[in-house]
PDB file of all heavy atoms in Angstrom:
ATOM      1  N   LEU T 175      58.956  14.530  30.675  1.00  0.00           N
ATOM      2  CA  LEU T 175      57.982  13.788  29.672  1.00  0.00           C
ATOM      3  C   LEU T 175      57.510  12.611  30.343  1.00  0.00           C
ATOM      4  O   LEU T 175      58.197  11.815  30.834  1.00  0.00           O
ATOM      5  CB  LEU T 175      58.863  13.448  28.446  1.00  0.00           C
ATOM      6  CG  LEU T 175      58.110  12.525  27.438  1.00  0.00           C
ATOM      7  CD1 LEU T 175      56.941  13.232  26.812  1.00  0.00           C
ATOM      8  CD2 LEU T 175      59.167  12.107  26.385  1.00  0.00           C
ATOM      9  N   SER T 176      56.279  12.421  30.413  1.00  0.00           N
ATOM     10  CA  SER T 176      55.559  11.235  31.010  1.00  0.00           C
ATOM     11  C   SER T 176      54.515  10.727  29.913  1.00  0.00           C
ATOM     12  O   SER T 176      53.794  11.353  29.336  1.00  0.00           O
ATOM     13  CB  SER T 176      54.713  11.645  32.240  1.00  0.00           C
ATOM     14  OG  SER T 176      55.517  12.303  33.274  1.00  0.00           O
ATOM     15  N   THR T 177      54.736   9.381  29.656  1.00  0.00           N
ATOM     16  CA  THR T 177      54.038   8.675  28.638  1.00  0.00           C
ATOM     17  C   THR T 177      53.275   7.508  29.373  1.00  0.00           C
ATOM     18  O   THR T 177      53.924   6.568  29.850  1.00  0.00           O
ATOM     19  CB  THR T 177      54.982   8.082  27.572  1.00  0.00           C
ATOM     20  OG1 THR T 177      55.770   9.252  27.004  1.00  0.00           O
ATOM     21  CG2 THR T 177      54.203   7.541  26.495  1.00  0.00           C
ATOM     22  N   ASP T 178      51.977   7.605  29.385  1.00  0.00           N
ATOM     23  CA  ASP T 178      51.126   6.497  29.898  1.00  0.00           C
ATOM     24  C   ASP T 178      51.079   5.346  28.770  1.00  0.00           C
ATOM     25  O   ASP T 178      50.521   5.823  27.521  1.00  0.00           O
ATOM     26  CB  ASP T 178      49.680   6.942  30.194  1.00  0.00           C
ATOM     27  CG  ASP T 178      49.834   8.013  31.399  1.00  0.00           C
ATOM     28  OD1 ASP T 178      50.780   7.909  32.191  1.00  0.00           O
ATOM     29  OD2 ASP T 178      49.005   8.897  31.477  1.00  0.00           O
ATOM     30  N   SER T 179      51.148   4.184  29.182  1.00  0.00           N
ATOM     31  CA  SER T 179      51.040   3.005  28.089  1.00  0.00           C
ATOM     32  C   SER T 179      50.651   1.775  28.794  1.00  0.00           C
ATOM     33  O   SER T 179      50.827   1.662  30.032  1.00  0.00           O
ATOM     34  CB  SER T 179      52.316   2.882  27.337  1.00  0.00           C
ATOM     35  OG  SER T 179      53.390   2.617  28.246  1.00  0.00           O
ATOM     36  N   GLN T 180      50.130   0.939  27.897  1.00  0.00           N
ATOM     37  CA  GLN T 180      49.979  -0.513  28.247  1.00  0.00           C
ATOM     38  C   GLN T 180      51.125  -1.284  27.763  1.00  0.00           C
ATOM     39  O   GLN T 180      51.359  -1.299  26.571  1.00  0.00           O
ATOM     40  CB  GLN T 180      48.688  -1.084  27.709  1.00  0.00           C
ATOM     41  CG  GLN T 180      47.416  -0.391  28.027  1.00  0.00           C
ATOM     42  CD  GLN T 180      46.228  -0.811  27.426  1.00  0.00           C
ATOM     43  OE1 GLN T 180      46.115  -2.100  27.129  1.00  0.00           O
ATOM     44  NE2 GLN T 180      45.254  -0.091  27.078  1.00  0.00           N
ATOM     45  N   LEU T 181      51.904  -1.930  28.602  1.00  0.00           N
ATOM     46  CA  LEU T 181      53.108  -2.825  28.258  1.00  0.00           C
ATOM     47  C   LEU T 181      52.565  -4.162  28.172  1.00  0.00           C
ATOM     48  O   LEU T 181      51.973  -4.719  29.053  1.00  0.00           O
ATOM     49  CB  LEU T 181      54.232  -2.727  29.398  1.00  0.00           C
ATOM     50  CG  LEU T 181      54.722  -1.227  29.586  1.00  0.00           C
ATOM     51  CD1 LEU T 181      55.844  -1.317  30.440  1.00  0.00           C
ATOM     52  CD2 LEU T 181      55.118  -0.488  28.373  1.00  0.00           C
ATOM     53  N   LEU T 182      52.703  -4.767  27.075  1.00  0.00           N
ATOM     54  CA  LEU T 182      52.166  -5.997  26.750  1.00  0.00           C
ATOM     55  C   LEU T 182      53.286  -7.137  26.693  1.00  0.00           C
ATOM     56  O   LEU T 182      54.096  -7.106  25.801  1.00  0.00           O
ATOM     57  CB  LEU T 182      51.541  -6.174  25.366  1.00  0.00           C
ATOM     58  CG  LEU T 182      50.476  -4.871  25.252  1.00  0.00           C
ATOM     59  CD1 LEU T 182      49.928  -4.821  23.738  1.00  0.00           C
ATOM     60  CD2 LEU T 182      49.228  -4.869  26.208  1.00  0.00           C
ATOM     61  N   PHE T 183      53.154  -8.127  27.544  1.00  0.00           N
ATOM     62  CA  PHE T 183      54.284  -9.085  27.677  1.00  0.00           C
ATOM     63  C   PHE T 183      53.609 -10.476  27.326  1.00  0.00           C
ATOM     64  O   PHE T 183      52.614 -10.962  28.026  1.00  0.00           O
ATOM     65  CB  PHE T 183      54.807  -9.201  29.151  1.00  0.00           C
ATOM     66  CG  PHE T 183      55.566  -7.994  29.467  1.00  0.00           C
ATOM     67  CD1 PHE T 183      55.027  -6.876  30.136  1.00  0.00           C
ATOM     68  CD2 PHE T 183      56.930  -7.952  29.121  1.00  0.00           C
ATOM     69  CE1 PHE T 183      55.708  -5.849  30.471  1.00  0.00           C
ATOM     70  CE2 PHE T 183      57.728  -6.854  29.644  1.00  0.00           C
ATOM     71  CZ  PHE T 183      57.145  -5.779  30.217  1.00  0.00           C
ATOM     72  N   SER T 184      54.106 -11.060  26.267  1.00  0.00           N
ATOM     73  CA  SER T 184      53.737 -12.506  25.995  1.00  0.00           C
ATOM     74  C   SER T 184      54.806 -13.342  26.564  1.00  0.00           C
ATOM     75  O   SER T 184      56.045 -13.093  26.241  1.00  0.00           O
ATOM     76  CB  SER T 184      53.569 -12.783  24.389  1.00  0.00           C
ATOM     77  OG  SER T 184      52.609 -11.936  23.854  1.00  0.00           O
ATOM     78  N   THR T 185      54.439 -14.303  27.470  1.00  0.00           N
ATOM     79  CA  THR T 185      55.489 -15.115  28.108  1.00  0.00           C
ATOM     80  C   THR T 185      55.189 -16.691  27.872  1.00  0.00           C
ATOM     81  O   THR T 185      53.959 -17.033  27.587  1.00  0.00           O
ATOM     82  CB  THR T 185      55.500 -14.796  29.669  1.00  0.00           C
ATOM     83  OG1 THR T 185      54.222 -15.041  30.196  1.00  0.00           O
ATOM     84  CG2 THR T 185      55.960 -13.477  29.916  1.00  0.00           C
ATOM     85  N   GLN T 186      56.156 -17.398  28.020  1.00  0.00           N
ATOM     86  CA  GLN T 186      56.111 -18.816  27.716  1.00  0.00           C
ATOM     87  C   GLN T 186      56.944 -19.581  28.695  1.00  0.00           C
ATOM     88  O   GLN T 186      58.007 -19.102  28.917  1.00  0.00           O
ATOM     89  CB  GLN T 186      56.340 -19.198  26.349  1.00  0.00           C
ATOM     90  CG  GLN T 186      56.097 -20.555  25.973  1.00  0.00           C
ATOM     91  CD  GLN T 186      56.036 -20.786  24.355  1.00  0.00           C
ATOM     92  OE1 GLN T 186      56.198 -19.814  23.629  1.00  0.00           O
ATOM     93  NE2 GLN T 186      55.723 -22.027  24.013  1.00  0.00           N
ATOM     94  N   LYS T 187      56.520 -20.742  29.215  1.00  0.00           N
ATOM     95  CA  LYS T 187      57.191 -21.611  30.170  1.00  0.00           C
ATOM     96  C   LYS T 187      58.100 -22.499  29.280  1.00  0.00           C
ATOM     97  O   LYS T 187      57.506 -23.341  28.521  1.00  0.00           O
ATOM     98  CB  LYS T 187      56.312 -22.257  30.999  1.00  0.00           C
ATOM     99  CG  LYS T 187      57.015 -22.966  32.233  1.00  0.00           C
ATOM    100  CD  LYS T 187      56.024 -23.442  33.206  1.00  0.00           C
ATOM    101  CE  LYS T 187      56.750 -23.662  34.606  1.00  0.00           C
ATOM    102  NZ  LYS T 187      55.755 -24.316  35.580  1.00  0.00           N
ATOM    103  N   ILE T 188      59.378 -22.383  29.419  1.00  0.00           N
ATOM    104  CA  ILE T 188      60.294 -23.126  28.694  1.00  0.00           C
ATOM    105  C   ILE T 188      61.368 -23.809  29.507  1.00  0.00           C
ATOM    106  O   ILE T 188      62.020 -23.230  30.274  1.00  0.00           O
ATOM    107  CB  ILE T 188      61.068 -22.260  27.542  1.00  0.00           C
ATOM    108  CG1 ILE T 188      60.073 -21.456  26.720  1.00  0.00           C
ATOM    109  CG2 ILE T 188      62.112 -23.029  26.745  1.00  0.00           C
ATOM    110  CD1 ILE T 188      60.754 -20.372  25.952  1.00  0.00           C
ATOM    111  N   GLU T 189      61.299 -25.178  29.507  1.00  0.00           N
ATOM    112  CA  GLU T 189      62.139 -26.009  30.386  1.00  0.00           C
ATOM    113  C   GLU T 189      61.978 -25.587  31.830  1.00  0.00           C
ATOM    114  O   GLU T 189      62.983 -25.407  32.595  1.00  0.00           O
ATOM    115  CB  GLU T 189      63.673 -25.825  29.911  1.00  0.00           C
ATOM    116  CG  GLU T 189      63.860 -26.286  28.456  1.00  0.00           C
ATOM    117  CD  GLU T 189      65.266 -26.236  28.058  1.00  0.00           C
ATOM    118  OE1 GLU T 189      66.004 -25.719  28.806  1.00  0.00           O
ATOM    119  OE2 GLU T 189      65.589 -26.852  26.990  1.00  0.00           O
ATOM    120  N   GLY T 190      60.642 -25.414  32.151  1.00  0.00           N
ATOM    121  CA  GLY T 190      60.408 -25.056  33.558  1.00  0.00           C
ATOM    122  C   GLY T 190      60.545 -23.791  34.161  1.00  0.00           C
ATOM    123  O   GLY T 190      60.181 -23.396  35.284  1.00  0.00           O
ATOM    124  N   GLN T 191      60.971 -22.699  33.233  1.00  0.00           N
ATOM    125  CA  GLN T 191      60.942 -21.339  33.657  1.00  0.00           C
ATOM    126  C   GLN T 191      60.213 -20.570  32.483  1.00  0.00           C
ATOM    127  O   GLN T 191      60.200 -20.695  31.425  1.00  0.00           O
ATOM    128  CB  GLN T 191      62.478 -20.872  33.586  1.00  0.00           C
ATOM    129  CG  GLN T 191      63.266 -21.607  34.710  1.00  0.00           C
ATOM    130  CD  GLN T 191      62.962 -21.125  36.069  1.00  0.00           C
ATOM    131  OE1 GLN T 191      62.422 -20.114  36.330  1.00  0.00           O
ATOM    132  NE2 GLN T 191      63.225 -21.948  37.100  1.00  0.00           N
ATOM    133  N   TRP T 192      59.617 -19.427  33.091  1.00  0.00           N
ATOM    134  CA  TRP T 192      58.876 -18.519  32.293  1.00  0.00           C
ATOM    135  C   TRP T 192      59.837 -17.497  31.695  1.00  0.00           C
ATOM    136  O   TRP T 192      60.724 -16.941  32.346  1.00  0.00           O
ATOM    137  CB  TRP T 192      57.882 -17.660  33.068  1.00  0.00           C
ATOM    138  CG  TRP T 192      56.648 -18.477  33.479  1.00  0.00           C
ATOM    139  CD1 TRP T 192      56.547 -19.230  34.713  1.00  0.00           C
ATOM    140  CD2 TRP T 192      55.453 -18.841  32.638  1.00  0.00           C
ATOM    141  NE1 TRP T 192      55.303 -19.918  34.642  1.00  0.00           N
ATOM    142  CE2 TRP T 192      54.682 -19.685  33.518  1.00  0.00           C
ATOM    143  CE3 TRP T 192      55.073 -18.519  31.419  1.00  0.00           C
ATOM    144  CZ2 TRP T 192      53.474 -20.120  33.004  1.00  0.00           C
ATOM    145  CZ3 TRP T 192      53.920 -18.928  30.896  1.00  0.00           C
ATOM    146  CH2 TRP T 192      53.127 -19.802  31.766  1.00  0.00           C
ATOM    147  N   TYR T 193      59.724 -17.203  30.350  1.00  0.00           N
ATOM    148  CA  TYR T 193      60.515 -16.197  29.657  1.00  0.00           C
ATOM    149  C   TYR T 193      59.572 -15.244  28.774  1.00  0.00           C
ATOM    150  O   TYR T 193      58.515 -15.560  28.373  1.00  0.00           O
ATOM    151  CB  TYR T 193      61.337 -16.943  28.717  1.00  0.00           C
ATOM    152  CG  TYR T 193      62.591 -17.715  29.386  1.00  0.00           C
ATOM    153  CD1 TYR T 193      62.422 -18.975  29.657  1.00  0.00           C
ATOM    154  CD2 TYR T 193      63.811 -17.121  29.669  1.00  0.00           C
ATOM    155  CE1 TYR T 193      63.314 -19.871  30.222  1.00  0.00           C
ATOM    156  CE2 TYR T 193      64.733 -17.798  30.259  1.00  0.00           C
ATOM    157  CZ  TYR T 193      64.565 -19.188  30.571  1.00  0.00           C
ATOM    158  OH  TYR T 193      65.565 -19.868  31.205  1.00  0.00           O
ATOM    159  N   ILE T 194      60.025 -14.053  28.535  1.00  0.00           N
ATOM    160  CA  ILE T 194      59.339 -13.130  27.729  1.00  0.00           C
ATOM    161  C   ILE T 194      59.696 -13.656  26.301  1.00  0.00           C
ATOM    162  O   ILE T 194      60.784 -13.667  25.855  1.00  0.00           O
ATOM    163  CB  ILE T 194      59.859 -11.845  27.951  1.00  0.00           C
ATOM    164  CG1 ILE T 194      59.517 -11.271  29.432  1.00  0.00           C
ATOM    165  CG2 ILE T 194      59.093 -10.816  27.026  1.00  0.00           C
ATOM    166  CD1 ILE T 194      60.161 -10.061  29.773  1.00  0.00           C
ATOM    167  N   VAL T 195      58.534 -13.786  25.472  1.00  0.00           N
ATOM    168  CA  VAL T 195      58.854 -14.154  24.064  1.00  0.00           C
ATOM    169  C   VAL T 195      58.341 -12.913  23.199  1.00  0.00           C
ATOM    170  O   VAL T 195      58.704 -12.952  22.006  1.00  0.00           O
ATOM    171  CB  VAL T 195      58.052 -15.472  23.648  1.00  0.00           C
ATOM    172  CG1 VAL T 195      58.502 -16.672  24.483  1.00  0.00           C
ATOM    173  CG2 VAL T 195      56.532 -15.236  23.886  1.00  0.00           C
ATOM    174  N   ARG T 196      57.697 -12.067  23.679  1.00  0.00           N
ATOM    175  CA  ARG T 196      57.246 -10.957  22.871  1.00  0.00           C
ATOM    176  C   ARG T 196      56.906  -9.764  23.862  1.00  0.00           C
ATOM    177  O   ARG T 196      56.245  -9.935  24.850  1.00  0.00           O
ATOM    178  CB  ARG T 196      56.087 -11.155  22.027  1.00  0.00           C
ATOM    179  CG  ARG T 196      55.745 -10.145  20.966  1.00  0.00           C
ATOM    180  CD  ARG T 196      54.705 -10.655  19.892  1.00  0.00           C
ATOM    181  NE  ARG T 196      54.375  -9.662  18.948  1.00  0.00           N
ATOM    182  CZ  ARG T 196      54.922  -9.668  17.719  1.00  0.00           C
ATOM    183  NH1 ARG T 196      55.773 -10.554  17.377  1.00  0.00           N
ATOM    184  NH2 ARG T 196      54.652  -8.665  16.907  1.00  0.00           N
ATOM    185  N   PHE T 197      57.355  -8.594  23.434  1.00  0.00           N
ATOM    186  CA  PHE T 197      57.055  -7.336  24.288  1.00  0.00           C
ATOM    187  C   PHE T 197      56.656  -6.234  23.422  1.00  0.00           C
ATOM    188  O   PHE T 197      57.400  -5.935  22.427  1.00  0.00           O
ATOM    189  CB  PHE T 197      58.326  -6.954  25.055  1.00  0.00           C
ATOM    190  CG  PHE T 197      58.326  -5.653  25.805  1.00  0.00           C
ATOM    191  CD1 PHE T 197      57.212  -5.174  26.420  1.00  0.00           C
ATOM    192  CD2 PHE T 197      59.420  -4.883  25.900  1.00  0.00           C
ATOM    193  CE1 PHE T 197      57.123  -3.952  27.073  1.00  0.00           C
ATOM    194  CE2 PHE T 197      59.452  -3.615  26.467  1.00  0.00           C
ATOM    195  CZ  PHE T 197      58.185  -3.189  27.106  1.00  0.00           C
ATOM    196  N   GLU T 198      55.445  -5.638  23.604  1.00  0.00           N
ATOM    197  CA  GLU T 198      54.839  -4.582  22.756  1.00  0.00           C
ATOM    198  C   GLU T 198      54.354  -3.565  23.602  1.00  0.00           C
ATOM    199  O   GLU T 198      54.258  -3.734  24.898  1.00  0.00           O
ATOM    200  CB  GLU T 198      53.980  -5.136  21.897  1.00  0.00           C
ATOM    201  CG  GLU T 198      54.383  -6.223  20.980  1.00  0.00           C
ATOM    202  CD  GLU T 198      53.324  -7.109  20.360  1.00  0.00           C
ATOM    203  OE1 GLU T 198      52.888  -8.004  21.098  1.00  0.00           O
ATOM    204  OE2 GLU T 198      52.886  -6.830  19.186  1.00  0.00           O
ATOM    205  N   SER T 199      53.794  -2.437  23.094  1.00  0.00           N
ATOM    206  CA  SER T 199      53.208  -1.404  23.854  1.00  0.00           C
ATOM    207  C   SER T 199      52.057  -0.748  23.204  1.00  0.00           C
ATOM    208  O   SER T 199      52.005  -0.707  21.933  1.00  0.00           O
ATOM    209  CB  SER T 199      54.247  -0.366  24.145  1.00  0.00           C
ATOM    210  OG  SER T 199      53.696   0.639  25.104  1.00  0.00           O
ATOM    211  N   ILE T 200      50.971  -0.420  23.865  1.00  0.00           N
ATOM    212  CA  ILE T 200      49.860   0.454  23.340  1.00  0.00           C
ATOM    213  C   ILE T 200      50.015   1.796  24.073  1.00  0.00           C
ATOM    214  O   ILE T 200      50.035   1.853  25.377  1.00  0.00           O
ATOM    215  CB  ILE T 200      48.570  -0.222  23.630  1.00  0.00           C
ATOM    216  CG1 ILE T 200      48.392  -1.523  23.011  1.00  0.00           C
ATOM    217  CG2 ILE T 200      47.417   0.767  23.350  1.00  0.00           C
ATOM    218  CD1 ILE T 200      47.174  -2.331  23.305  1.00  0.00           C
ATOM    219  N   TYR T 201      50.036   2.752  23.297  1.00  0.00           N
ATOM    220  CA  TYR T 201      50.282   4.148  23.819  1.00  0.00           C
ATOM    221  C   TYR T 201      48.946   4.870  24.093  1.00  0.00           C
ATOM    222  O   TYR T 201      48.070   4.814  23.231  1.00  0.00           O
ATOM    223  CB  TYR T 201      51.184   4.954  22.899  1.00  0.00           C
ATOM    224  CG  TYR T 201      52.612   4.327  22.965  1.00  0.00           C
ATOM    225  CD1 TYR T 201      52.932   3.440  21.947  1.00  0.00           C
ATOM    226  CD2 TYR T 201      53.545   4.684  23.829  1.00  0.00           C
ATOM    227  CE1 TYR T 201      54.121   2.851  21.998  1.00  0.00           C
ATOM    228  CE2 TYR T 201      54.763   4.040  23.848  1.00  0.00           C
ATOM    229  CZ  TYR T 201      55.170   3.236  22.800  1.00  0.00           C
ATOM    230  OH  TYR T 201      56.290   2.488  22.959  1.00  0.00           O
ATOM    231  N   GLU T 202      48.851   5.514  25.198  1.00  0.00           N
ATOM    232  CA  GLU T 202      47.612   6.139  25.550  1.00  0.00           C
ATOM    233  C   GLU T 202      47.585   7.620  25.542  1.00  0.00           C
ATOM    234  O   GLU T 202      46.841   8.276  24.921  1.00  0.00           O
ATOM    235  CB  GLU T 202      47.147   5.664  27.004  1.00  0.00           C
ATOM    236  CG  GLU T 202      46.877   4.207  27.005  1.00  0.00           C
ATOM    237  CD  GLU T 202      46.516   3.783  28.469  1.00  0.00           C
ATOM    238  OE1 GLU T 202      46.729   4.390  29.326  1.00  0.00           O
ATOM    239  OE2 GLU T 202      45.878   2.634  28.563  1.00  0.00           O
ATOM    240  N   GLN T 203      48.523   8.215  26.272  1.00  0.00           N
ATOM    241  CA  GLN T 203      48.622   9.706  26.201  1.00  0.00           C
ATOM    242  C   GLN T 203      49.910  10.206  26.872  1.00  0.00           C
ATOM    243  O   GLN T 203      50.616   9.319  27.490  1.00  0.00           O
ATOM    244  CB  GLN T 203      47.448  10.461  27.092  1.00  0.00           C
ATOM    245  CG  GLN T 203      47.535   9.964  28.516  1.00  0.00           C
ATOM    246  CD  GLN T 203      46.335  10.651  29.351  1.00  0.00           C
ATOM    247  OE1 GLN T 203      45.638  11.341  28.732  1.00  0.00           O
ATOM    248  NE2 GLN T 203      46.305  10.368  30.682  1.00  0.00           N
TER     249      GLN T 203
END
């Protein structure tokens, strides 16, 4: 099973380091 998608990462710099604050996906085929 192979699923092509766009992985969407919202990141933010907190106390000098980048962190993922939101992770979503758009499915294509």
Side-chain angles (χ1 to χ4, degrees):
L175 170 65
S176 299
T177 305
D178 296 331
S179 61
Q180 299 178 32
L181 305 183
L182 311 173
F183 293 90
S184 300
T185 55
Q186 191 163 1
K187 197 171 190 179
I188 303 170
E189 297 180 354
Q191 293 291 334
W192 289 94
Y193 292 91
I194 299 167
V195 296
R196 193 173 181 94
F197 171 40
E198 303 160 278
S199 185
I200 294 174
Y201 295 91
E202 297 182 338
Q203 62 181 1

